[in-house]
Amino acid sequence: MAEDRNQDPQMDAEGLYQEDNFTDRKVGAIRRLSPVRADGSADPARPVLFIGQAEIMTNMGPVPISFEIEGQTLADAVIGFAPAAQAAIERTVQQIQEMRRQQASQLVVPQGPVPGITGGRGGGKIQMP
């Protein structure tokens, strides 16, 4: 998918959205994506989308998260923000924990012979005869 975007940077005239941002300046933000035609007029054939945005603090610093919110109106999106944010936070925490597990389980293989196993010589690249 990313390769397709890089090879053809042409915008999709059938998939345009107008973006409006709403925030309470405390918890996060909601982006309302309203479908529009190439001439800028509303496209009622496609649904309005709501995207929530928030940050969680980790020991690595703030991590931004984005998540889709179900709803037909901005009021629906405001009500649906908290449960959608909680689900996104849980997914993000699980992904971070999985990345930590993967990094912790990586094997470090020393270069050269290991002392005591291959004739008692050191594992460095310079060896004395």
Side-chain angles (χ1 to χ4, degrees), residues 27-44:
V27 175
I30 296 174
R31 292 172 43 215
R32 178 177 60 194
L33 301 175
S34 303
V36 294
R37 296 185 182 101
D39 65 0
S41 63
D43 184 356

Side-chain angles (χ1 to χ4, degrees), residues 28-118:
I30 296 174
R31 292 172 43 215
R32 178 177 60 194
L33 301 175
S34 303
V36 294
R37 296 185 182 101
D39 65 0
S41 63
D43 184 356
R46 295 185 290 143
V48 173
L49 305 175
F50 294 97
I51 309 296
Q53 297 176 310
E55 282 186 346
I56 58 172
M57 290 302 295
T58 68
N59 58 355
M60 298 176 288
V63 175
I65 58 171
S66 292
F67 46 93
E68 195 163 333
I69 304 172
E70 298 293 326
Q72 301 295 315
T73 66
L74 179 59
D76 292 343
V78 170
I79 293 168
F81 184 92
Q86 188 62 39
I89 289 168
E90 289 173 7
R91 279 192 309 271
T92 301
V93 168
Q94 288 174 353
Q95 290 171 348
I96 290 170
Q97 290 173 342
E98 181 60 29
M99 288 189 314
R100 285 182 181 160
R101 276 194 291 275
Q102 288 175 359
Q103 284 187 335
S105 68
Q106 290 180 350
L107 295 175
V108 177
V109 180
Q111 292 185 1
V114 177
I117 296 178
T118 57

